[in-house]
Amino acid sequence: MIRYSLARFYGISAFVAWYGAVLFLTQPAQASTKVTAQQFVDLQQGQPHFPGFRRAHAKGVCVSGEFVSNGSLTHYSDAEVFSAGVHPFIGRFSIAGNNPHADELSAPVRSFALSFVTGSERWNIAMNTPPVMAVSNPHDFYQQLVAIKQGGDAIKTFFAKHPESADFLAWKASYTPTESLALETYHSINAFYLHDARSNKQAVRWQMLPLGEASKNPFTDSAALQKELAARIAHGNVRFTWQFTLAAPADDENNPAIQWPSNRAQVNAGEINITQWQPQLEGACHALNFDPLILPTGLSATADPILRARSAAYAESYRRRAKEQLIGALGGKESE
Amino acid sequence: MNKLVTRYTFTMRLLHWSMAVLILSMVCAGLAIVSSLEPWQLSLLGLHKSFGVLALILLILRFIVRVQSTAPALPSTMPVIQVKLAKFSHWLLYFLMLVIPVSGLLMQYFGARPIVVFDLLTMPAAMVANIEYFAVFREGHGFAVLLLLLVLVVHISAACFHHFIRKDGVFKSML
């Protein structure tokens, strides 16, 4: 009797499990035309990948410094970082790509990320040298990366099919990489909203403009940019102006591929000063996920589809390297 | 003198069914937010964290109500092993319902991501992220959910078994 009823119990369990599995498996099948965070990070990390490192912008250097705010944005936003005074941050300069040993001078894109902690809040900022994306949504961005990896004329064909890439291509044609990470202009690319105490919102993009003096980079090896940056920091020569561009009603803050006209109002928020650096595996920046959607009171995300895709993609990259680092630590070996 | 208890108290039943709906929604939302690149991902991520804090508060409340009230006894005709398994699986469910939100909170803490609860308050996170502790709680969060789904298959199957096969009123004690 017991055996008979147990058999029926197993039968019911199998049915419940099967029904659950059907519900679960049909969910991704319905959405198969959409790229997932896992597919995106698989593409970025490449084959074979570099365990324990970021899947994108794998090579970089940790920095810290302070933002001297002039208070001019307090009219637009409640964010504590904009109040007049000195606000410390940690940050990271990096180059695009999956290879933590790549040659720095030949990387097409350079990046600067910052992280401010104010009270119980955090604000992460992730910027790149281009002022705009070539495309407007994460699925097209995925195809753009596929085309770049394919090589040959694939990327030309891709751009020809995507007329929205015109502003990006115009920037690319006019851009010459400098000899220093401290001499680049870094852009938020995506737009964000500033919120004041009355909940008025203003869409903005921002850029950090170099204040350092131009000089020739004496290094030529694969770590030439990091070495030059370290030498500059020693001389207190890594400074930027933090400038905000305010969108006009005609600008679409949700389209990251379109450059806003150059006559838009701009606000100088203050000066960024880098004071220290550490190798990336030794600095505090290594353990941090610079997800730019971690925002404090006074700022919020626009509906820009590429901005909104960043949290899940950054989280997947972070989860993979965190797990590898833990396994490496438990196994008694370093990630590098 | 002792009145035979055949149903869980109203508070227990309310907590059971509201948490059932909440937990299943949270599992679906969790699976969606780790893979989706769609614009709603950020909003759902915020809701997942807020409702996770709510689930933890409800669990603590439920635990207090559970130890203070009398649960209906299982039928005396049930084999001893089944009674033991039933009790074990119930406490395992409580344990997992605790581990899942707590690991979620701790992975956010060590990942240096403050949690904004329903736009009401911000739970602070570590000043300096600890990627190895993050990995422990991130992987633990996912593993505990898998285990929860497994125990839920047994739990729901057992409920059906009592209702349709044994017809012993155990399922009705939660209605």
Side-chain angles (χ1 to χ4, degrees), chain A residues 23-77:
Chain A
L23 282 181
F24 174 67
L25 292 174
T26 51
Q27 195 185 354
Q30 286 161 354
S32 60
T33 51
K34 304 277 190 186
V35 174
T36 65
Q38 287 68 34
Q39 290 169 319
F40 211 101
V41 176
D42 284 345
L43 180 69
Q44 285 182 311
Q45 72 179 16
Q47 282 278 4
H49 73 280
F50 297 89
F53 287 93
R54 284 168 209 268
R55 274 18 188 195
H57 301 254
K59 191 172 188 186
V61 56
C62 290
V63 295
S64 54
E66 54 193 33
F67 166 52
V68 183
S69 171
N70 58 24
S72 58
L73 277 173
T74 50
H75 177 62
Y76 294 97
S77 170

Coordinates of all heavy atoms in Angstrom, one line a residue, chain A residues 23-77:
Chain A
L23 N 7.4 25.6 -18.3 CA 7.2 27.1 -18.1 C 8.5 27.8 -18.2 O 8.6 28.9 -18.9 CB 6.6 27.4 -16.7 CG 5.1 27.1 -16.6 CD1 4.7 27.5 -15.2 CD2 4.3 27.9 -17.6
F24 N 9.6 27.3 -17.6 CA 10.9 27.9 -17.6 C 11.5 27.9 -19.0 O 12.0 29.0 -19.4 CB 11.8 27.3 -16.6 CG 13.2 27.8 -16.6 CD1 13.4 29.1 -16.2 CD2 14.3 27.0 -17.0 CE1 14.7 29.6 -16.2 CE2 15.5 27.5 -17.0 CZ 15.8 28.8 -16.6
L25 N 11.5 26.8 -19.6 CA 12.2 26.7 -20.9 C 11.6 27.4 -22.0 O 12.2 27.8 -23.0 CB 12.4 25.2 -21.3 CG 13.4 24.4 -20.3 CD1 13.4 22.9 -20.7 CD2 14.8 25.0 -20.4
T26 N 10.2 27.6 -22.0 CA 9.6 28.3 -23.1 C 9.8 29.8 -23.0 O 9.6 30.5 -23.9 CB 8.1 28.0 -23.1 OG1 7.5 28.2 -21.8 CG2 7.8 26.6 -23.6
Q27 N 10.2 30.2 -21.8 CA 10.4 31.7 -21.5 C 11.5 32.2 -22.4 O 11.3 33.1 -23.2 CB 10.6 31.9 -20.0 CG 10.5 33.3 -19.6 CD 10.9 33.5 -18.1 OE1 11.1 32.5 -17.4 NE2 11.0 34.7 -17.7
P28 N 12.8 31.6 -22.3 CA 13.8 32.2 -23.2 C 13.6 31.9 -24.7 O 14.0 32.6 -25.5 CB 15.1 31.4 -22.7 CG 14.6 30.3 -21.8 CD 13.3 30.7 -21.4
A29 N 12.8 30.8 -25.0 CA 12.6 30.4 -26.4 C 11.8 31.5 -27.0 O 12.0 31.8 -28.2 CB 11.9 29.1 -26.4
Q30 N 10.8 32.1 -26.3 CA 10.0 33.1 -26.9 C 10.8 34.4 -27.1 O 10.5 35.2 -28.0 CB 8.9 33.5 -25.9 CG 7.8 32.4 -25.9 CD 6.9 32.5 -24.7 OE1 7.2 33.3 -23.8 NE2 5.9 31.7 -24.6
A31 N 11.9 34.6 -26.4 CA 12.7 35.8 -26.5 C 14.0 35.6 -27.2 O 15.0 36.3 -27.0 CB 12.9 36.4 -25.1
S32 N 14.1 34.5 -28.0 CA 15.4 34.1 -28.5 C 16.0 35.1 -29.5 O 17.2 35.0 -29.8 CB 15.3 32.7 -29.2 OG 14.3 32.8 -30.2
T33 N 15.2 36.0 -30.1 CA 15.7 37.0 -31.0 C 16.5 38.1 -30.3 O 17.2 38.8 -30.9 CB 14.6 37.7 -31.8 OG1 13.6 38.1 -30.8 CG2 13.9 36.7 -32.8
K34 N 16.3 38.1 -28.9 CA 17.0 39.2 -28.1 C 18.3 38.6 -27.6 O 18.4 37.5 -27.1 CB 16.2 39.6 -27.0 CG 14.8 40.1 -27.4 CD 14.8 41.5 -27.8 CE 13.4 42.1 -27.9 NZ 13.4 43.4 -28.4
V35 N 19.4 39.4 -27.7 CA 20.7 39.0 -27.1 C 20.6 39.1 -25.6 O 20.0 40.0 -25.0 CB 21.8 40.0 -27.6 CG1 23.1 39.7 -26.9 CG2 21.9 39.9 -29.1
T36 N 21.1 38.1 -24.9 CA 21.1 38.1 -23.4 C 22.5 38.6 -22.9 O 23.4 38.7 -23.6 CB 20.9 36.7 -22.8 OG1 22.1 35.9 -23.2 CG2 19.7 36.0 -23.4
A37 N 22.5 38.9 -21.6 CA 23.7 39.4 -20.9 C 24.8 38.4 -21.1 O 26.0 38.7 -21.3 CB 23.4 39.7 -19.5
Q38 N 24.4 37.1 -21.0 CA 25.4 36.0 -21.1 C 26.0 35.9 -22.5 O 27.2 35.8 -22.6 CB 24.7 34.6 -20.7 CG 24.4 34.5 -19.2 CD 23.3 35.4 -18.7 OE1 22.4 35.7 -19.5 NE2 23.4 35.9 -17.5
Q39 N 25.2 36.1 -23.5 CA 25.7 36.1 -24.9 C 26.6 37.2 -25.1 O 27.7 37.1 -25.7 CB 24.5 36.1 -25.9 CG 23.7 34.8 -25.9 CD 22.4 35.0 -26.7 OE1 21.7 36.0 -26.6 NE2 22.1 34.0 -27.5
F40 N 26.2 38.4 -24.5 CA 27.0 39.6 -24.7 C 28.4 39.4 -24.1 O 29.4 39.7 -24.7 CB 26.3 40.8 -24.1 CG 26.6 42.1 -24.8 CD1 25.6 42.6 -25.7 CD2 27.8 42.7 -24.6 CE1 25.9 43.8 -26.4 CE2 28.0 43.9 -25.3 CZ 27.1 44.4 -26.2
V41 N 28.4 38.9 -22.9 CA 29.7 38.8 -22.2 C 30.5 37.7 -22.8 O 31.8 37.8 -22.9 CB 29.5 38.6 -20.7 CG1 30.8 38.4 -19.9 CG2 28.8 39.8 -20.1
D42 N 29.9 36.6 -23.3 CA 30.6 35.6 -24.0 C 31.4 36.2 -25.2 O 32.5 35.8 -25.4 CB 29.6 34.5 -24.6 CG 29.1 33.6 -23.5 OD1 29.7 33.5 -22.4 OD2 28.1 32.9 -23.8
L43 N 30.7 37.0 -25.9 CA 31.3 37.7 -27.1 C 32.5 38.6 -26.7 O 33.5 38.6 -27.3 CB 30.2 38.5 -27.9 CG 30.7 39.2 -29.1 CD1 31.1 38.2 -30.2 CD2 29.7 40.2 -29.6
Q44 N 32.2 39.4 -25.6 CA 33.3 40.3 -25.2 C 34.5 39.6 -24.7 O 35.6 40.0 -24.9 CB 32.7 41.2 -24.1 CG 31.8 42.3 -24.6 CD 31.3 43.2 -23.6 OE1 30.9 42.8 -22.5 NE2 31.4 44.5 -23.8
Q45 N 34.3 38.5 -23.9 CA 35.5 37.9 -23.3 C 36.3 37.1 -24.3 O 37.5 36.9 -24.1 CB 35.0 37.0 -22.1 CG 34.4 35.7 -22.5 CD 34.0 34.8 -21.3 OE1 34.0 35.3 -20.2 NE2 33.7 33.6 -21.6
G46 N 35.7 36.6 -25.4 CA 36.4 35.9 -26.4 C 36.9 34.5 -26.0 O 36.5 34.1 -24.9
Q47 N 37.6 33.9 -26.9 CA 38.0 32.5 -26.7 C 39.5 32.4 -27.0 O 39.9 32.7 -28.1 CB 37.3 31.5 -27.7 CG 35.9 31.2 -27.3 CD 35.8 30.1 -26.3 OE1 36.9 29.6 -25.8 NE2 34.6 29.7 -25.9
P48 N 40.4 31.9 -26.1 CA 40.0 31.7 -24.7 C 40.0 33.0 -23.9 O 40.5 34.0 -24.4 CB 41.2 30.8 -24.2 CG 42.4 31.3 -25.0 CD 41.8 31.7 -26.3
H49 N 39.3 33.0 -22.7 CA 39.2 34.2 -22.0 C 40.3 34.3 -20.9 O 41.1 33.4 -20.8 CB 37.9 34.4 -21.4 CG 37.6 33.5 -20.2 ND1 37.3 32.2 -20.4 CD2 37.6 33.7 -18.9 CE1 37.1 31.6 -19.2 NE2 37.3 32.6 -18.3
F50 N 40.4 35.4 -20.2 CA 41.4 35.7 -19.2 C 40.8 35.6 -17.8 O 40.2 36.6 -17.4 CB 42.1 37.0 -19.5 CG 42.8 37.1 -20.8 CD1 42.2 37.5 -21.9 CD2 44.2 36.7 -20.9 CE1 42.8 37.6 -23.2 CE2 44.8 36.8 -22.1 CZ 44.2 37.2 -23.2
P51 N 40.9 34.4 -17.2 CA 40.2 34.3 -15.9 C 40.6 35.3 -14.8 O 41.8 35.6 -14.7 CB 40.6 32.9 -15.4 CG 41.1 32.2 -16.6 CD 41.7 33.2 -17.5
G52 N 39.7 35.8 -14.1 CA 39.9 36.7 -13.0 C 40.0 38.2 -13.4 O 40.1 39.1 -12.6
F53 N 39.9 38.4 -14.7 CA 39.9 39.8 -15.2 C 38.5 40.3 -15.7 O 37.7 39.4 -16.1 CB 40.9 40.0 -16.3 CG 42.4 39.9 -15.8 CD1 43.1 38.7 -15.8 CD2 43.0 41.1 -15.3 CE1 44.4 38.7 -15.3 CE2 44.3 41.0 -14.9 CZ 45.0 39.8 -14.9
R54 N 38.4 41.6 -15.8 CA 37.2 42.1 -16.4 C 37.0 41.6 -17.8 O 38.0 41.5 -18.5 CB 37.2 43.7 -16.4 CG 37.0 44.3 -15.1 CD 37.4 45.8 -15.1 NE 37.8 46.2 -13.8 CZ 37.0 46.7 -12.8 NH1 35.8 46.9 -13.1 NH2 37.5 46.9 -11.6
R55 N 35.8 41.4 -18.3 CA 35.6 40.8 -19.6 C 35.7 41.9 -20.7 O 36.0 41.6 -21.8 CB 34.2 40.2 -19.7 CG 34.0 38.8 -19.2 CD 35.1 38.3 -18.4 NE 34.9 36.8 -18.1 CZ 35.5 36.1 -17.2 NH1 36.4 36.7 -16.4 NH2 35.3 34.8 -17.1
A56 N 35.5 43.1 -20.3 CA 35.8 44.2 -21.2 C 36.6 45.2 -20.5 O 36.6 45.4 -19.3 CB 34.4 44.9 -21.6
H57 N 37.4 46.0 -21.2 CA 38.4 46.9 -20.6 C 39.2 46.2 -19.6 O 39.3 46.7 -18.4 CB 37.6 48.1 -20.1 CG 36.8 48.8 -21.1 ND1 37.2 50.1 -21.7 CD2 35.7 48.5 -21.8 CE1 36.3 50.4 -22.6 NE2 35.4 49.5 -22.7
A58 N 39.8 45.1 -19.9 CA 40.5 44.2 -19.0 C 41.8 44.9 -18.5 O 42.2 44.6 -17.4 CB 40.8 42.9 -19.6
K59 N 42.4 45.7 -19.3 CA 43.7 46.3 -18.9 C 43.5 47.7 -18.4 O 43.0 48.5 -19.1 CB 44.7 46.2 -20.0 CG 46.1 46.6 -19.5 CD 47.2 46.4 -20.6 CE 48.6 46.5 -20.0 NZ 49.6 46.5 -21.0
G60 N 44.0 47.9 -17.2 CA 43.8 49.3 -16.7 C 44.7 49.5 -15.4 O 45.5 48.7 -15.0
V61 N 44.4 50.6 -14.8 CA 45.2 51.0 -13.6 C 44.2 51.7 -12.6 O 43.4 52.5 -13.0 CB 46.4 51.9 -14.0 CG1 46.0 53.1 -14.8 CG2 47.3 52.3 -12.8
C62 N 44.4 51.4 -11.3 CA 43.6 52.0 -10.3 C 44.1 53.4 -10.0 O 45.4 53.6 -9.9 CB 43.6 51.2 -9.0 SG 42.7 49.6 -9.1
V63 N 43.2 54.3 -9.7 CA 43.7 55.7 -9.3 C 42.7 56.2 -8.2 O 41.7 55.6 -8.0 CB 43.6 56.7 -10.5 CG1 44.6 56.4 -11.6 CG2 42.2 56.8 -11.1
S64 N 43.2 57.2 -7.5 CA 42.3 57.9 -6.6 C 42.6 59.4 -6.7 O 43.6 59.8 -7.1 CB 42.4 57.4 -5.2 OG 43.7 57.4 -4.7
G65 N 41.6 60.2 -6.2 CA 41.8 61.6 -6.3 C 40.6 62.3 -5.7 O 39.9 61.8 -4.9
E66 N 40.4 63.6 -6.1 CA 39.3 64.3 -5.6 C 38.7 65.2 -6.6 O 39.4 65.6 -7.6 CB 39.8 65.2 -4.4 CG 41.0 66.1 -4.8 CD 41.7 66.7 -3.5 OE1 41.7 66.0 -2.5 OE2 42.2 67.8 -3.7
F67 N 37.4 65.5 -6.5 CA 36.7 66.4 -7.3 C 36.5 67.7 -6.5 O 35.9 67.6 -5.4 CB 35.4 65.8 -7.7 CG 34.4 66.7 -8.4 CD1 34.8 67.6 -9.4 CD2 33.1 66.8 -7.9 CE1 33.9 68.4 -10.0 CE2 32.2 67.7 -8.5 CZ 32.6 68.5 -9.5
V68 N 37.0 68.8 -7.0 CA 36.7 70.1 -6.4 C 35.6 70.7 -7.0 O 35.7 71.3 -8.1 CB 38.0 71.0 -6.4 CG1 37.8 72.2 -5.6 CG2 39.2 70.2 -5.9
S69 N 34.4 70.6 -6.4 CA 33.2 71.1 -7.0 C 33.0 72.6 -6.7 O 33.3 73.1 -5.6 CB 32.0 70.4 -6.4 OG 30.8 71.0 -6.8
N70 N 32.6 73.3 -7.8 CA 32.4 74.8 -7.6 C 30.9 75.1 -7.2 O 30.6 76.2 -7.1 CB 32.8 75.5 -8.9 CG 32.1 75.0 -10.1 OD1 31.0 74.5 -10.0 ND2 32.7 75.2 -11.3
G71 N 30.1 74.0 -7.1 CA 28.7 74.2 -6.7 C 27.8 74.7 -7.7 O 26.6 74.9 -7.5
S72 N 28.2 74.8 -9.0 CA 27.4 75.4 -10.0 C 26.2 74.5 -10.5 O 25.3 74.9 -11.1 CB 28.2 75.8 -11.2 OG 28.9 74.7 -11.7
L73 N 26.3 73.2 -10.1 CA 25.2 72.3 -10.5 C 24.2 72.1 -9.4 O 23.2 71.4 -9.6 CB 25.8 71.0 -11.0 CG 26.2 70.9 -12.4 CD1 26.9 69.6 -12.7 CD2 25.1 71.1 -13.4
T74 N 24.4 72.7 -8.3 CA 23.4 72.5 -7.2 C 22.0 73.0 -7.5 O 21.0 72.6 -7.0 CB 23.9 73.2 -5.9 OG1 24.2 74.5 -6.2 CG2 25.1 72.5 -5.3
H75 N 22.0 73.9 -8.5 CA 20.7 74.5 -9.0 C 19.9 73.4 -9.7 O 18.7 73.4 -9.7 CB 21.0 75.6 -9.9 CG 19.8 76.2 -10.6 ND1 18.8 76.8 -9.8 CD2 19.5 76.3 -11.9 CE1 17.9 77.3 -10.7 NE2 18.3 77.0 -11.9
Y76 N 20.7 72.4 -10.3 CA 20.0 71.4 -11.1 C 19.8 70.0 -10.4 O 19.0 69.2 -10.8 CB 20.8 71.1 -12.4 CG 20.8 72.3 -13.4 CD1 21.9 73.2 -13.4 CD2 19.8 72.5 -14.2 CE1 21.9 74.2 -14.2 CE2 19.8 73.6 -15.1 CZ 20.9 74.4 -15.1 OH 20.9 75.5 -16.0
S77 N 20.7 69.8 -9.4 CA 20.7 68.5 -8.8 C 21.0 68.5 -7.3 O 21.9 69.3 -6.9 CB 21.7 67.5 -9.5 OG 21.9 66.3 -8.8

